[in-house]
């Protein structure tokens, strides 16, 4: 840390003398369009000097040390003619220049093109073009082009991005093939806490897309940014107060084709600024109520089979014989989900300009999503070998296991009838963020600060399960892609044959809190005789995460619950089951009956706590991160610029878990503390061949902290299974050295073609090891037990290439010039070292989990002044999702192709109609085991239709 201290000392000395020697004058201002909406990414130049800057995401800019006198500002914006503005600079003062860019007509190679405001991709591409580092920017206008209800569905259209789905919506983000916990998600620059119980993954489907102004995906981070972003950093920028009055509203409905049930959505935004332009405010809210579901078939595959010979050995024990078979699905399950998802969001943002040099602001967002889910699951699982007799199974000449006995379970998932459950499992997820900050100018010193409080929570109250079980023989279909078990006798499936197996109620409560604070300073620093700046700052993030679950099992005391035909049931057979009409789930306990049970009535039910369901999962983790950085951006020539710097992060962790014997006896708590420091230097080079053609090169260093459940120092000795489960508070963070190369050409009529390559060298990735205890240090008799514990592995490499193209096809004749094409493709490859199989042998040719080798987005749009239509597709190839004990057990996430249609018509300049059709291909979520033919899960959602009205009023 001594080098960092010396660097900061030098910085503050420079700050002192630079402030004393402040000369000339300064210009601060904003760039906005005719509607009062801020314009980011505009280039502002001072003529006859080498001074210039770029407007930030809020349209603000600052020019320091401008020579006094009359000066001409030139504003350059991709797709529009240059604008010139005269100002008078006064020595030692800051003047204001609030500039308005107006729609114009530009001429490109003799063809006159109309520019209709600053919508479409112009704002995003101007911002992206003027960044020194490699970034993809998506504006709110671009988001509105696609029929995406949540921000995750919008992000998946960015090059190099794939999303993991949940109930048909994009939930967690994968950047350049790296799993969700290796990427960071921030809101206005502050890390978003995670509501997930055991990891750091942010639920992107929690945030409505219409609450976000801009999405910034940074693939090569700078020292100013948090270092925990191996894949990349996603920053969601909320809307800011406009320059004048704005009112925007959306009202719509729709239909889910899977169940013909309605969709309701609505949003509004209202904002204004006082006459003196000092105080601005904006309030927005959004709601989406979706009543849908899914049809699901699941299977688990095995290549081992054994049976009871009926013969006793010398010790009088039954001999269990292994029989060689071809792989077969030992588990088969049909699931029918019924879901009501209500997503609400509310935001209040304000800013106040104290004077020309000082502005303060407040930003807030509250997201609240309720998932009410009922799941009806009919499952069959082959019996243990000791319960399978010699005549209970059939194997054909090819070794196919055709017939065998199973345990069949009919299970209903629901919730209590009281409170907010409404007879369903309620998953109440909330994320809130409140920030206060300021931007100041003291002489030549620019200073901004922010402090924020963020909280995420997930509560599942009174989650209930009731299951009835039977045993009978089934015939197995040999179609591995469409696994199916058929009972040998329909009489065996009678409800009277199903006995009560379990009746349970679970409480889950997870909470994560973040307190963030940062200070950023900026000074002019010219090292090569041209423009240059020095930036430095400090950051603190104080995080705490707690999970407190409980699980109870209930046994009926009174009669009337023993068999399935004695309780309230309903047949949920669906002839139009999306996986195929041959899949019929049958009858289950109704959610209404399950919810009506008074489990607290001791005269009807006897309660028993089941600690093995929650003791290992409960934990309390505190994590504090202290960071400092310094970096400089220098124009070495009029074409070449460099950004170089260093970020240092110190992490302190205190983790508390449970010490457990036999999964259910808690004998105490274990608390362990650890700390580590990471130095992360980086260099970004940017070379402008022309004002529109750019080459970027970056070398960066990043990290990823372990998941919470891996850090927790729990100890769980399972004597019956001769197993020991351990957490590991001593885990090192995963680190990566990253190399990026990107070439970009921006079209003057607002478009881009780009191509690039990247390499990530990853060290200390985390995996779960299986070892054998060499002594009895984990308790008497534990020598020889298998020990499961997360450990740091060796290294992995991720490398790939990206291509992107988007532009209006205005070179075509007639009406065809109104077509717009959007394409991007990412190729990805990876390799790993240090992964062992169940026998302790190294596995070769292993891909890194979540690394999809091919990702592709394409959309073709037709944009007229009133009518717009867009057909868009999103493809992600199959990838390994979870590493098993061997290649047969590896789980893969199958390829997906989504096709969506979006149509809008402007009735008036302020009022438009829209129609969206999602998932035209009825793309299922599919997993397979080892081989693409062996289906582990196939879940279908059907198409979704939405329509409505959008109203937007601007008044300056």
């Amino acid at each position: 840390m001594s080098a960092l201290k010396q660097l900061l000392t030098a910085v503050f000395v420079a700050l002192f003398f630079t402030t004393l020697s402040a000369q000339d004058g300064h210009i601060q201002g904003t760039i906005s369009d005719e509607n009062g909406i801020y314009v980011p990414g505009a280039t502002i130049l001072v003529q006859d000097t080498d001074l210039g800057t770029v407007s930030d995401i809020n349209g603000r800019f600052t020019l320091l040390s401008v020579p006094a006198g009359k000066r001409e500002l030139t504003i350059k914006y991709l797709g529009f003619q240059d604008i010139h503005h005269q100002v008078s600079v006064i020595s030692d003062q800051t003047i204001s220049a609030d500039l308005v860019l107006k729609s114009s007509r530009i001429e490109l190679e003799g063809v006159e093109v109309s520019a209709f405001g600053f919508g479409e991709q112009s704002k995003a591409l101007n911002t992206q073009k003027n960044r020194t580092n490699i970034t993809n920017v998506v504006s709110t206008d671009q988001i509105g082009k696609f029929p995406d209800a949540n921000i995750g569905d919008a992000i998946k259209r960015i090059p190099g991005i794939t999303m993991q789905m949940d109930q048909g919506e994009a939930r967690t983000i994968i950047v350049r093939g790296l799993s969700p916990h290796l990427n960071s998600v921030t809101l206005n620059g502050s890390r978003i806490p995670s509501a997930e119980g055991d990891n750091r993954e942010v639920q992107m489907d929690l945030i409505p897309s219409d609450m976000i102004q801009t999405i910034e995906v940074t693939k090569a981070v700078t020292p100013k940014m948090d270092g925990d972003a191996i894949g990349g950093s996603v920053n969601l920028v909320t809307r800011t107060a406009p320059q004048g009055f704005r009112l925007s509203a959306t009202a719509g409905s729709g239909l889910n084709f899977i169940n013909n049930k309605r969709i309701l959505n609505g949003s509004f935004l209202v904002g204004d600024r006082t006459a003196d332009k000092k105080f601005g405010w904006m309030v927005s809210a959004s709601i989406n109520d979706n009543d849908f579901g899914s049809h699901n078939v699941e299977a688990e595959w095995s290549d081992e089979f054994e049976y009871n010979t009926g013969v006793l050995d010398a010790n009088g024990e039954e001999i269990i014989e292994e029989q060689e078979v071809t792989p077969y699905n030992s588990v088969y399950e049909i699931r029918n989900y019924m879901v009501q998802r209500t997503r609400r969001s509310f935001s209040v943002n304000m800013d106040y300009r104290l004077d020309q040099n000082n502005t303060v602001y407040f930003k807030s967002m509250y997201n609240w999503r309720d998932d009410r889910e009922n799941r009806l699951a009919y499952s069959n699982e082959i019996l243990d070998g000791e319960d399978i007799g010699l005549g209970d199974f059939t194997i054909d000449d090819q070794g196919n296991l055709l017939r065998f006995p199973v345990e069949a379970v009919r299970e209903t998932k629901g919730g209590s009838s009281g409170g907010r459950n409404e007879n369903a499992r309620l998953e109440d997820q909330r994320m809130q963020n409140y920030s206060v900050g300021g931007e100041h100018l003291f002489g030549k010193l620019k200073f901004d600060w922010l402090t924020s409080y963020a909280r995420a929570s997930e509560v599942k109250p009174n989650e209930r399960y009731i299951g009835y079980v039977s045993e009978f023989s089934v015939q197995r279909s040999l179609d591995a892609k469409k696994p199916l078990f058929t009972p040998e006798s329909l009489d065996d499936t009678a409800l009277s044959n199903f006995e009560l197996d379990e009746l349970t109620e679970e409480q889950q409560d997870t909470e994560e809190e973040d307190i963030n604070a940062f200070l950023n300073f900026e000074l002019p620093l010219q090292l090569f005789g041209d423009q240059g700046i020095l930036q430095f700052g400090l950051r603190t993030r104080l995080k705490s995460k707690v999970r407190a679950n409980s699980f109870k099992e209930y046994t009926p005391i009174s009669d009337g619950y023993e068999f399935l035909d004695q309780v309230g049931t309903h047949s949920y057979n669906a002839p139009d089951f999306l996986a195929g009409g041959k899949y019929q789930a049958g009858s289950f306990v109704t959610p209404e009956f399950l919810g009506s049970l008074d489990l607290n009535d001791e005269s009807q039910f006897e309660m028993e706590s089941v600690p093995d369901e929650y003791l290992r999962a409960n934990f309390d983790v505190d994590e504090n991160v202290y960071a400092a950085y310094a970096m400089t951006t220098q124009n070495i020539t009029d074409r070449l610029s460099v950004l170089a710097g260093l970020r240092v992060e110190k992490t302190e962790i205190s983790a508390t878990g449970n010490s457990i014997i036999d999964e259910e006896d808690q004998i105490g708590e274990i608390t362990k503390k650890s700390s580590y420091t990471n130095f992360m230097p980086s260099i970004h080079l940017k070379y402008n061949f022309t004002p529109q053609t750019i080459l970027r090169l970056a070398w960066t260093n990043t990290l990823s902290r372990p998941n919470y459940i891996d850090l927790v120092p729990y100890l769980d000795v399972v004597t019956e299974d001769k197993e020991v489960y351990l957490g590991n508070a001593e885990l090192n963070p995963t680190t990566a050295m990253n190399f990026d190369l990107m070439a970009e050409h921006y079209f003057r009529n607002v478009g881009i073609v780009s191509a690039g390559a990247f390499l990530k060298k990853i060290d200390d990735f985390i995996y779960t090891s299986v070892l054998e205890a060499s002594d009895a240090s984990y308790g008497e008799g534990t020598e020889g037990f298998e020990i499961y514990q997360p450990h740091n592995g060796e290294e992995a490499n991720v490398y790939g290439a990206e291509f992107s193209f988007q532009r209006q096809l205005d070179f075509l004749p007639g009406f065809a010039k109104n077509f717009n094409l959007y394409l991007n493709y990412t190729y990805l490859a990876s390799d790993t070292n240090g992964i062992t199989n169940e026998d302790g042998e190294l596995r070769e040719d292993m891909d890194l989990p979540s690394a999809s080798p091919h990702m592709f987005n394409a959309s073709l749009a037709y944009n007229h002044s009133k009518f717009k239509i867009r057909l868009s597709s999103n493809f992600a190839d199959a990838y390994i999702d979870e590493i098993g004990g061997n290649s047969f057990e590896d789980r893969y996430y199958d390829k997906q192709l989504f096709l969506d249609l979006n149509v809008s018509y402007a009735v008036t300049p302020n009022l438009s109609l829209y129609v969206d059709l999602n998932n035209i291909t009825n793309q299922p979520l599919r997993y397979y085991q080892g081989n693409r033919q062996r289906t582990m899960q196939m879940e279908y959602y059907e198409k979704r239709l939405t329509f409505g009205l959008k109203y937007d009023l601007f008044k300056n």
Side-chain angles (χ1 to χ4, degrees):
M1 294 292 286
S2 59
L4 179 63
K5 291 179 180 178
Q6 293 175 7
L7 176 61
L8 292 177
T9 301
V11 164
F12 281 107
V13 170
L15 164 63
F16 177 74
F17 285 105
T18 304
T19 306
L20 288 181
S21 60
Q23 300 290 331
D24 305 319
H26 314 303
I27 303 173
Q28 278 201 338
T30 59
I31 308 291
S32 59
D33 65 16
E34 293 174 293
N35 293 320
I37 303 302
Y38 294 118
V39 175
T43 301
I44 303 97
L45 302 174
V46 183
Q47 293 301 304
D48 301 323
T49 74
D50 60 0
L51 298 175
T53 190
V54 176
S55 59
D56 66 15
I57 202 69
N58 295 315
R60 297 172 182 166
F61 70 91
T62 302
L63 290 161
L64 299 176
S65 301
V66 182
K70 290 187 177 180
R71 297 294 169 186
E72 181 177 287
L73 300 181
T74 299
I75 296 90
K76 295 180 177 290
Y77 198 75
L78 189 67
F80 295 85
Q81 293 179 344
D82 294 349
I83 294 176
H84 304 278
H85 182 78
Q86 299 291 328
V87 296
S88 295
V89 179
I90 302 172
S91 179
D92 295 328
Q93 291 188 25
T94 301
I95 66 167
S96 177
D98 294 327
L99 309 177
V100 178
L101 294 180
K102 297 183 178 180
S103 301
S104 61
R105 303 177 74 84
I106 59 176
E107 189 170 303
L108 301 176
E109 300 177 356
V111 180
E112 196 175 64
V113 180
S114 296
F116 299 101
F118 292 85
E120 309 300 329
Q121 60 262 60
S122 58
K123 294 178 183 178
L125 289 183
N126 273 279
T127 301
Q128 182 173 315
K129 173 177 175 287
N130 287 300
R131 293 283 177 89
T132 304
N133 60 321
I134 298 171
T135 305
N136 292 111
V137 181
V138 179
S139 71
T140 183
D141 297 320
Q142 286 175 282
I143 296 170
K145 290 180 187 178
F146 300 102
D148 301 325
N150 75 64
I151 206 67
D153 284 312
I155 289 175
K156 74 183 181 185
R157 306 186 190 277
I158 295 174
I161 304 294
T162 54
M163 301 294 298
Q164 292 184 334
M165 311 297 286
D166 177 72
Q167 288 296 341
E169 290 190 340
R171 166 159 277 202
T172 53
I173 183 170
I174 297 172
V175 181
R176 287 179 165 177
L178 295 176
S179 61
H181 78 277
L182 298 178
N183 309 300
S184 71
V185 182
T186 59
L187 184 69
N188 300 316
S190 293
R191 188 68 182 261
I192 297 178
S194 170
E196 293 288 332
D198 56 1
N199 57 55
R200 300 174 182 270
E201 299 170 7
V202 174
Q203 302 75 30
M204 306 302 288
D205 57 352
L206 189 60
I207 305 172
S209 60
D210 51 11
M211 298 296 288
I212 299 300
Q213 174 178 292
T214 305
I215 304 170
E216 302 173 321
V217 178
T218 301
K219 296 173 180 176
V221 299
T222 68
K224 188 177 181 178
M225 304 172 65
D226 285 343
D228 53 346
I230 290 181
S233 173
V234 179
N235 184 37
L236 308 177
V237 182
T238 57
R239 299 175 184 268
T240 55
Q243 283 289 77
F245 180 76
R246 183 184 183 187
L247 173 64
S248 179
T250 301
S253 186
L255 180 71
N256 284 298
F257 285 41
I258 193 170
N259 55 11
N260 294 321
K261 292 190 176 181
R262 56 75 181 145
I263 302 169
L264 297 175
N265 65 79
S267 66
F268 77 86
L269 178 151
V270 60
D272 200 358
R273 190 165 293 275
T274 56
D276 61 7
K277 300 298 182 181
K278 286 191 171 184
F279 178 69
W281 59 274
M282 188 224 57
V283 176
S284 61
S286 171
I287 187 169
N288 180 279
D289 191 358
N290 192 3
D291 198 338
F292 63 108
S294 61
H295 295 163
N296 178 296
V297 175
E298 299 192 11
E300 294 180 17
W301 294 81
S302 176
D303 56 0
E304 298 177 350
F305 175 72
E306 57 184 20
Y307 64 95
N308 192 332
T309 62
V311 179
L312 301 181
D313 62 14
N315 297 321
E317 296 185 0
E318 296 172 328
I319 297 176
I320 307 299
E321 185 77 22
E322 290 187 5
Q323 176 73 43
E324 185 174 341
V325 294
T326 59
Y328 68 99
N329 59 306
S330 58
V331 176
Y332 161 74
E333 190 168 356
I334 304 174
R335 296 184 177 189
N336 192 344
Y337 288 88
M338 298 172 285
V339 183
Q340 183 188 25
R341 177 169 292 173
T342 305
R343 185 186 294 112
R344 318 164 189 84
S345 187
F346 184 74
S347 178
V348 176
N349 294 332
M350 296 177 286
D351 63 79
Y352 185 75
R353 184 183 296 182
L354 300 169
D355 54 37
Q356 300 299 333
N357 295 328
N358 298 281
T359 299
V360 293
Y361 59 85
F362 169 78
K363 293 186 176 183
S364 66
M365 176 174 280
Y366 190 98
N367 296 298
W368 177 13
R369 191 193 69 193
D370 284 340
D371 260 19
R372 292 181 175 86
E373 176 183 289
N374 290 114
R375 187 191 72 194
L376 309 167
Y378 170 61
S379 64
N380 291 179
E381 181 173 4
I382 191 170
L383 297 183
D384 292 337
E386 62 187 17
D387 298 319
I388 300 176
L390 187 59
D392 294 339
F393 62 93
T394 301
I395 300 176
D396 68 11
D397 295 339
Q398 286 76 43
N400 294 309
L401 184 60
L402 303 178
R403 182 181 66 93
F404 48 83
V406 298
E407 180 184 76
V409 178
R410 296 188 176 277
E411 181 186 72
T412 299
K413 176 168 72 173
S416 61
S417 59
R420 300 178 53 246
N421 285 73
E422 300 177 12
N423 298 315
R425 186 275 286 147
L426 172 64
E427 181 182 85
D428 180 335
Q429 284 196 345
R430 308 191 190 197
M431 190 278 291
Q432 50 194 302
N433 185 291
Y434 308 95
S435 302
V436 177
E439 299 174 356
H440 310 276
L441 181 61
F442 302 108
K444 294 184 179 181
L445 173 67
K446 287 177 64 177
F447 164 54
D448 68 87
W449 59 276
L450 179 141
T451 181
S452 69
Y453 169 79
R455 181 177 182 270
S457 62
E458 180 182 86
V459 178
K460 296 181 181 180
N462 307 111
E463 179 177 346
R464 292 183 175 183
Y465 293 84
I466 187 170
Y468 283 80
V469 63
S470 183
E471 291 183 7
F472 46 78
S473 185
V474 299
Q475 298 278 354
R476 185 181 75 88
S477 166
L478 296 182
D479 185 350
K481 273 199 166 182
K482 294 277 189 176
L484 177 69
F485 288 178
T486 304
E488 276 199 299
S489 171
L490 289 179
D491 293 340
D492 292 336
T493 65
L495 299 187
S496 58
N497 292 331
F498 283 80
E499 298 182 70
L500 179 64
D501 180 41
E502 64 174 8
L503 172 59
T504 64
E505 184 173 272
E506 184 176 7
Q507 311 283 335
Q508 296 186 37
D509 193 345
T510 302
E511 179 180 301
E512 181 174 324
E513 290 186 324
D514 277 16
I515 297 175
N516 288 270
F518 62 73
L519 306 173
N520 296 311
F521 302 89
E522 181 180 318
L523 284 168
L525 178 64
Q526 298 180 0
L527 299 180
F528 298 92
D530 206 338
Q531 286 192 80
I533 59 172
L534 171 67
Q535 294 173 285
F536 54 96
L538 302 169
R539 181 158 196 158
T540 298
R541 183 171 75 234
L542 310 178
K543 179 190 294 289
S544 64
K545 184 144 192 167
V546 178
R547 184 163 67 179
N549 298 347
S550 65
F551 192 98
K552 299 174 182 177
E553 187 169 0
Y554 294 85
T555 303
I557 298 175
S558 54
D559 296 331
Y561 300 97
E562 187 176 359
F563 296 99
L564 187 54
D565 63 341
Q566 298 175 332
V567 297
T569 60
H570 178 74
S571 174
Y572 291 89
N573 284 336
D576 55 352
F577 197 81
L578 295 176
K582 61 185 178 182
Y583 296 105
Q584 298 300 318
S587 296
F588 296 85
V589 174
T590 64
E592 291 76 17
F593 178 84
L594 177 59
S596 69
L597 298 178
D598 185 1
L599 299 182
N600 294 320
D601 186 347
E602 295 181 357
S603 65
Q604 296 188 58
F605 300 97
E606 183 180 276
M607 185 273 289
E608 181 183 5
S609 179
V610 188
D612 62 302
E613 293 285 349
Y614 62 85
L615 277 182
R616 193 190 308 166
N618 291 346
F619 61 80
D620 187 345
V621 175
D622 291 323
E623 180 182 86
N624 298 332
V625 178
Y626 306 96
Y629 76 91
M631 68 183 195
T632 181
T633 303
Q634 298 292 324
N635 288 346
I636 299 175
T637 70
D638 59 350
R639 293 189 176 187
L640 177 63
S641 61
V642 59
L643 185 160
L646 172 68
R647 184 179 185 89
V648 180
E649 292 190 358
K650 182 177 182 180
T651 306
E652 297 179 347
I653 300 170
S654 175
T656 300
N658 293 320
S659 180
I660 313 162
I661 292 181
D662 292 335
E663 294 189 280
E664 59 184 21
D665 296 325
Q666 181 180 352
I667 60 175
E669 291 185 343
I670 305 172
T671 297
K672 288 192 176 182
K673 297 182 179 181
S674 62
S675 66
Y676 47 84
T677 301
N678 296 90
F679 293 83
M680 292 169 284
S682 63
I683 299 175
H684 302 258
L685 296 172
K686 178 182 178 183
Y687 186 82
N688 296 308
F689 289 96
T690 70
Q692 274 73 47
T693 304
I694 300 169
L695 179 68
R696 306 176 196 268
L697 178 66
W699 169 67
T700 58
N701 290 270
T702 50
L703 64 89
S704 175
R705 296 179 176 87
N707 280 326
Y708 303 108
I709 194 63
D710 294 334
L711 286 170
V712 176
Y714 59 79
L715 168 62
D716 189 0
V717 179
V718 186
T719 305
E720 182 179 354
D721 298 331
K722 296 185 177 181
E723 294 173 343
V724 178
Y725 292 89
L726 297 169
N728 189 351
E730 303 298 326
L731 284 172
N732 293 321
T734 302
T735 59
M737 182 181 294
N738 315 288
F739 301 89
D740 292 86
L741 176 68
M742 183 68 68
E744 303 166 344
H745 176 75
Y746 293 85
F747 301 109
R748 288 187 61 202
N749 67 335
V750 188
I752 183 176
V753 57
S754 67
F758 57 88
L759 167 65
K760 296 179 179 293
K761 300 182 72 65
I762 300 173
D763 290 315
D764 284 335
F765 66 86
I766 297 170
Y767 73 103
T768 300
S769 69
V770 182
L771 304 173
E772 185 175 298
S774 58
D775 53 35
S777 58
Y778 297 106
E780 184 177 350
T782 59
E783 183 177 353
F785 280 25
E786 288 189 334
I787 303 171
Y788 294 82
Q789 186 177 34
H791 281 282
N792 289 110
E794 297 180 19
E795 71 273 355
N797 296 301
V798 178
Y799 40 94
E802 292 180 350
F803 168 80
S804 178
F805 176 88
Q806 55 177 302
R807 71 164 291 174
Q808 183 179 344
L809 305 182
D810 48 34
F811 53 84
L812 296 177
F815 75 93
K817 68 182 180 183
N818 293 320
F819 279 102
N820 191 291
L821 187 62
Y822 177 91
L823 301 169
N824 64 66
Y825 167 76
T826 301
Y827 168 76
L828 199 69
S830 65
D831 58 70
T832 60
N833 292 315
I835 296 177
T836 59
N837 62 18
E838 56 192 356
D839 298 322
E841 301 169 340
L842 283 175
R843 296 186 61 182
E844 298 180 353
D845 300 323
M846 287 294 301
D847 289 335
L848 195 68
S850 302
S852 175
H854 303 283
M855 292 165 277
F856 179 71
N857 281 289
S859 73
L860 180 65
Y862 182 83
N863 298 331
H864 192 263
S865 57
K866 288 189 175 182
F867 176 75
K868 298 179 181 180
I869 183 170
R870 176 179 295 270
L871 183 67
S872 55
S873 63
N874 173 265
F875 171 80
D877 207 350
Y879 58 85
I880 188 168
D881 177 67
E882 186 176 289
I883 298 173
N886 51 56
S887 60
F888 177 80
E889 297 176 356
D890 292 340
R891 185 177 75 171
Y892 289 81
Y893 195 108
D894 203 3
K895 59 185 178 182
Q896 293 185 314
L897 174 64
F898 293 95
L899 193 64
D900 304 313
L901 181 68
N902 171 244
V903 181
S904 65
Y905 180 78
V907 181
T908 71
N910 304 111
L911 181 66
S912 62
L913 301 170
Y914 71 89
V915 178
D916 299 333
L917 183 63
N918 288 82
N919 195 23
I920 297 172
T921 57
N922 186 26
Q923 174 64 53
L925 166 68
R926 184 174 183 268
Y927 290 91
Y928 60 88
Q929 183 177 320
N931 183 305
R932 180 170 276 120
Q933 299 300 313
R934 293 195 286 266
T935 295
M936 288 192 74
Q937 180 180 352
M938 50 182 180
E939 185 169 81
Y940 293 82
Y941 311 102
E942 252 291 4
K943 293 177 283 294
R944 183 176 72 238
L945 175 71
T946 55
F947 50 84
L949 295 169
K950 293 183 178 180
Y951 179 78
D952 222 340
L953 174 65
F954 301 92
K955 184 178 179 181
N956 291 320

